[in-house]
Amino acid sequence: MTATPVLALRGVSKRFGAVQALTDVDLEIHAGEVVALVGDNGAGKSTLVKTIAGVHPIDEGVIEWQGRQVSVNRPQDAQHLGIATVYQDLALADNIDVVGNLFLGREIRRYGIVLNEVEMERRSRELLDSLSIRIPSVRIPIASLSGGQRQVVAIARSMLGEPKLVILDEPTAALGVEQTAQVLDLVERLRARGLAVLLISHNMADVKAVADRVAVLRLGGNNGVFDVRTTSQEEIIAAITGATDNAVTRRASRTAEVQK
Amino acid sequence: MSIDKTSSARHAAVDAPGAAEGAVAAVDPRLLVQQEGIAGYVTEFKRKIKAGELGSIPVIVGLILIAAIFTSLNSNFLGPGNITNILVQMAGTGLIATGIVFVLLLGEIDLSVGSVSGLSSAIFAVLAITHGMNNILALVLALASGAVAGAIHGFFFARVGVPAFAVTLAGLLFWNGLMLQVLGPDGTINIPSDNVVYKLEGYYFSDVAAAYILALVAVVIYFWTAFSQNRRRQQAGVPARPVSDILMRTVLIAIVAFGVAIIFNQYKGLPLAVVIFVGLLVITDFVLRRTTYGRKVFSLGGSVEASRRAGINVTVIRITVFMIAGFFAALGGLFLASQIAAANQGAGAGNLLMNSIAAAVIGGTSLFGGRGRTWNALLGVLVIISIQVGLGIQGVAAPIVSMVTGAVLLATVVIDAITRKTQRSAGRA
């Protein structure tokens, strides 16, 4: 793990009209690390992801990219830095085959306008092989693939831009056991390649399985960053629901300090 | 189509990420690779039927049925004169249907193509014949009028956000009115036989060599493109078709091309109308399936959101697609004017609009966007014109023709709906 994080958020705030969506949020992600971002509905996970992805520019705070302060105001800014985001609704065209979807919007061309299908197919196979992704054929329409296969295709597509940070928004939601395992395997392979991965998830089992650290958001603010290996699932859930932050626990911690 | 059940290979790759690239075999045994030879075709064909991927099979079966029925009623139906007639007559409606295929690929509809085609013929006739303008210039202006009409539809649909159905319905009324206005009180302008538009359907390359040379050129070009594409695939190390496959397809195309050439030469020779129509089908098919523009049209038909996120300029694609539909409507209108050697007030009226949409759908273009080819327009219009001509020979009245065409259209969409259901259960919808 390098000393300088790939991405660091310092005191980030975001407001939508009267709603304070994010308050003074800090987050650090290092290369070769999977950070899970968890929190209850409305905790600000999606807003935070969108500020990193450039969909919503931040109001206050600092975004640092590899130690350098940057401004991310448009999705293109994030892409240029090397941030790839895979949203929950995947955004694949069902009627186009796997190769076409991988290269949608950045087709390899010959003579300026003619599709270079051969080169795109070769690069697709290379990419899928290097990620150990197995699909029946790269020439079948996306409609023929299972949910898990679509998810890995969407993640593979994000890899074409050679990003340094990949943001996965609920990649295992609505997937079966086998398919979830496929996606989690892929997440581990991304980490092995030295990428930083920000994983948004509701599923504690997934988080425990692949994440190195867990950042908990609650009501738009930080509610702790935990090391997955040394933290129990109950502690994380308590941080998400705020069970640790009520009158009872505050009193308990006060009395504990007094006794020291 | 099985998904990966053996996870040991993947775990090995995770444990040793550096070895992942070398460790994975280039060819996955589960890939849907077609076996070589005839046996491969039979298994592939069986798989496609089971999965509901009928493609053009229902239309071709339908055409054979139509030919068989009308030939049994009148042996002249498959005579060279009648076949030439059908193929020349289909160009007008077929060109309009080609433009409709583009719009259907977006999952939209253009109801104005009939009126736009009438307007184009009126503009040409008034400019070239009434005002004596240079014929070619008048032709270009007539075609441009179609593209401009399409651009207006596209603007209101893509920029303002009015449903295409409503915009083009307004266009249907407006352009028809404009056509009547342009034609003026006379109503009918005859097109003389030395006029360029008359020649669109009236000119035949009477030299026997013309049809054969064109057939030969087509076959050679097909073989060469397929062969060189295959060689590039082999060089890049991606799966390529067996050469026997290419040869078989080439032979099939050669049989059709030379068969049609022989039929043409037994009558008046190679019709200019067929050359233009088929030439434009080749070009549009290339544009849709082999260029970035075509890829964008298909992706918009599949998912607008995915296209937008991929950085595709949705508005530009939508407007240009409606311009293409308008252009082809205008061109088809000139062919239809050529057929009756006149521009008149009835141009673009009647069943033309419905026939051209029906042709695209009967040919196999999906009404829901994202699936179809411009060759569908040719197959579909062939069905419609064959029925019209065949029933015409039998002396069947127009109302019955309309009813039969309607029944065929219904049968087509029923087949489409059933195959889509089968496809969904086979995971290919």
Side-chain angles (χ1 to χ4, degrees):
Chain A
M1 204 179 286
T2 48
T4 323
V6 173
L7 179 83
L9 305 183
R10 314 225 186 267
V12 166
S13 297
K14 176 71 193 175
R15 173 191 285 278
F16 295 108
V19 180
Q20 187 76 34
L22 296 174
T23 318
D24 207 18
V25 173
D26 293 337
L27 184 69
E28 280 191 3
I29 309 165
H30 294 82
E33 179 188 42
V34 178
V35 175
L37 184 64
V38 296
D40 220 336
N41 290 337
K45 302 189 299 289
S46 296
T47 309
L48 187 63
V49 166
K50 283 176 179 164
T51 59
I52 300 171
V55 179
H56 300 313
I58 56 171
D59 293 337
E60 281 166 48
V62 172
I63 298 180
E64 280 178 19
W65 181 255
Q66 296 177 314
R68 193 164 47 84
Q69 187 178 333
V70 291
S71 59
V72 181
N73 298 318
R74 298 173 305 156
Q76 291 92 319
D77 294 345
Q79 275 168 18
H80 279 299
L81 290 173
I83 300 173
T85 314
V86 181
Y87 291 100
Q88 210 172 339
D89 56 341
L90 302 184
L92 300 170
D94 266 1
N95 56 330
I96 299 180
D97 64 18
V98 175
V99 176
N101 265 290
L102 286 175
F103 284 91
L104 192 60
R106 51 184 155 198
E107 291 87 1
I108 302 172
R109 290 170 272 180
R110 296 192 295 155
Y111 318 119
I113 51 163
V114 182
L115 297 171
N116 189 345
E117 293 281 3
V118 177
E119 181 62 15
M120 285 196 277
E121 184 167 336
R122 195 184 63 76
R123 297 252 290 261
S124 300
R125 285 167 178 277
E126 231 172 60
L127 174 72
L128 297 180
D129 280 352
S130 74
L131 295 169
S132 301
I133 294 174
R134 294 299 182 85
I135 45 176
S137 163
V138 292
R139 282 297 179 196
I140 54 172
I142 290 292
S144 321
L145 300 180
S146 70
Q149 290 169 333
R150 287 177 206 208
Q151 184 73 52
V152 293
V153 168
I155 296 173
R157 178 162 89 174
S158 73
M159 300 300 295
L160 274 177
E162 307 210 332
K164 295 196 170 64
L165 168 67
V166 181
I167 304 174
L168 304 177
D169 190 2
E170 304 248 10
T172 58
L175 293 188
V177 178
E178 166 77 19
Q179 299 178 345
T180 300
Q182 287 178 359
V183 173
L184 296 183
D185 279 353
L186 181 56
V187 171
E188 286 180 339
R189 260 173 254 132
L190 299 185
R191 173 173 58 197
R193 284 183 150 206
L195 286 161
V197 180
L198 182 61
L199 175 77
I200 291 94
S201 185
H202 265 125
N203 187 327
M204 277 310 124
D206 293 355
V207 170
K208 291 288 282 182
V210 293
D212 300 300
R213 291 189 300 135
V214 184
V216 180
L217 281 186
R218 177 162 161 72
L219 304 175
N222 285 110
N223 203 22
V225 178
F226 304 93
D227 189 316
V228 170
R229 277 159 302 179
T230 58
T231 316
S232 75
Q233 194 159 319
E234 287 69 31
E235 285 174 89
I236 299 172
I237 292 173
I240 294 172
T241 56
T244 51
D245 182 31
N246 56 38
V248 180
T249 52
R250 275 199 297 273
R251 183 179 167 77
S253 59
R254 266 203 311 277
T255 41
E257 267 174 30
V258 169
Q259 278 169 355
K260 271 180 198 169
Chain B
M1 241 177 307
S2 67
I3 54 165
D4 190 359
K5 303 276 185 207
T6 55
S7 52
S8 58
R10 292 201 312 271
H11 285 307
V14 174
D15 296 335
E21 281 168 49
V24 180
V27 178
D28 188 318
R30 286 172 301 260
L31 296 187
L32 300 171
V33 178
Q34 196 183 319
Q35 291 167 266
E36 212 160 318
I38 311 263
Y41 277 100
V42 174
T43 45
E44 177 76 2
F45 183 74
K46 276 188 193 156
R47 188 188 66 73
K48 281 194 170 173
I49 296 287
K50 255 191 212 151
E53 285 172 66
L54 297 179
S56 303
I57 296 171
V59 197
I60 291 170
V61 170
L63 277 172
I64 293 171
L65 270 178
I66 290 168
I69 292 171
F70 285 122
T71 311
S72 71
L73 293 173
N74 185 332
S75 58
N76 279 338
F77 183 76
L78 282 183
N82 199 43
I83 288 187
T84 304
N85 233 340
I86 291 174
L87 292 180
V88 170
Q89 270 191 41
M90 79 179 182
T93 313
L95 284 166
I96 299 175
T98 306
I100 289 286
V101 169
F102 275 82
V103 180
L104 286 180
L105 281 176
L106 292 187
E108 300 297 337
I109 192 79
D110 189 340
L111 298 178
S112 72
V113 285
S115 298
V116 170
S117 76
L119 176 65
S120 144
S121 66
I123 287 178
F124 175 82
V126 167
L127 289 179
I129 292 154
T130 312
H131 292 288
M133 186 189 267
N134 177 300
N135 276 346
I136 301 298
L137 185 61
L139 186 89
V140 169
L141 286 175
L143 295 179
S145 75
V148 169
I152 294 171
H153 301 149
F155 172 81
F156 280 102
F157 165 59
R159 285 300 289 272
V160 184
V162 186
F165 176 85
V167 175
T168 55
L169 187 59
L172 183 155
L173 296 169
F174 185 87
W175 305 120
N176 188 250
L178 186 60
M179 177 195 79
L180 297 175
Q181 190 72 33
V182 167
L183 276 178
D186 298 340
T188 302
I189 301 170
N190 288 321
I191 298 173
S193 63
D194 61 343
N195 189 282
V196 61
V197 163
Y198 182 91
K199 285 178 179 153
L200 286 177
E201 287 206 1
Y203 185 80
Y204 291 78
F205 297 92
S206 52
D207 192 337
V208 179
Y212 293 134
I213 290 174
L214 194 67
L216 184 68
V217 167
V219 171
V220 168
I221 287 179
Y222 175 81
F223 178 75
W224 180 247
T225 46
F227 187 74
S228 59
Q229 161 106 1
N230 228 32
R231 218 177 36 195
R232 281 183 45 234
R233 295 182 72 88
Q234 279 166 346
Q235 280 166 358
V238 296
R241 274 188 189 147
V243 179
S244 62
D245 184 314
I246 296 176
L247 283 176
M248 228 194 258
R249 283 163 191 262
T250 308
V251 167
L252 206 70
I253 284 178
I255 290 171
V256 173
F258 281 97
V260 174
I262 290 169
I263 291 170
F264 283 150
N265 280 338
Q266 281 176 357
Y267 188 56
K268 288 191 201 167
L270 176 65
L272 176 66
V274 172
V275 176
I276 296 175
F277 181 34
V278 174
L280 285 172
L281 286 181
V282 171
I283 293 170
T284 49
D285 190 57
F286 181 83
V287 167
L288 279 178
R289 299 196 313 124
R290 296 264 179 255
T291 68
T292 47
Y293 178 78
R295 178 57 51 83
K296 289 172 187 169
V297 172
F298 273 97
S299 95
L300 264 183
S303 165
V304 177
E305 191 52 35
S307 312
R308 192 172 279 130
R309 291 222 199 122
I312 292 169
N313 191 330
V314 176
T315 310
V316 167
I317 300 295
R318 281 177 166 166
I319 291 178
T320 51
V321 162
F322 275 89
M323 287 176 74
I324 289 169
F327 172 84
F328 275 100
L331 186 60
L334 295 180
F335 275 78
L336 293 169
S338 174
Q339 200 170 308
I340 56 170
N344 65 22
Q345 292 179 330
N351 280 339
L352 177 63
L353 165 67
M354 287 310 153
N355 275 348
S356 47
I357 295 174
V361 175
I362 289 174
T365 306
S366 170
L367 282 167
F368 307 98
R371 287 176 188 83
R373 296 179 63 170
T374 47
W375 289 103
N376 296 153
L378 180 129
L379 291 172
V381 80
L382 204 50
V383 169
I384 289 176
I385 303 288
S386 300
I387 292 172
Q388 279 180 2
V389 170
L391 291 177
I393 292 174
Q394 296 304 314
V396 177
I400 307 291
V401 175
S402 200
M403 284 158 69
V404 171
T405 311
V408 170
L409 176 61
L410 182 67
T412 318
V413 290
V414 165
I415 291 173
D416 184 43
I418 293 171
T419 54
R420 283 175 69 85
K421 248 187 220 165
T422 324
Q423 283 177 0
R424 218 169 293 136
S425 58
R428 284 217 168 207

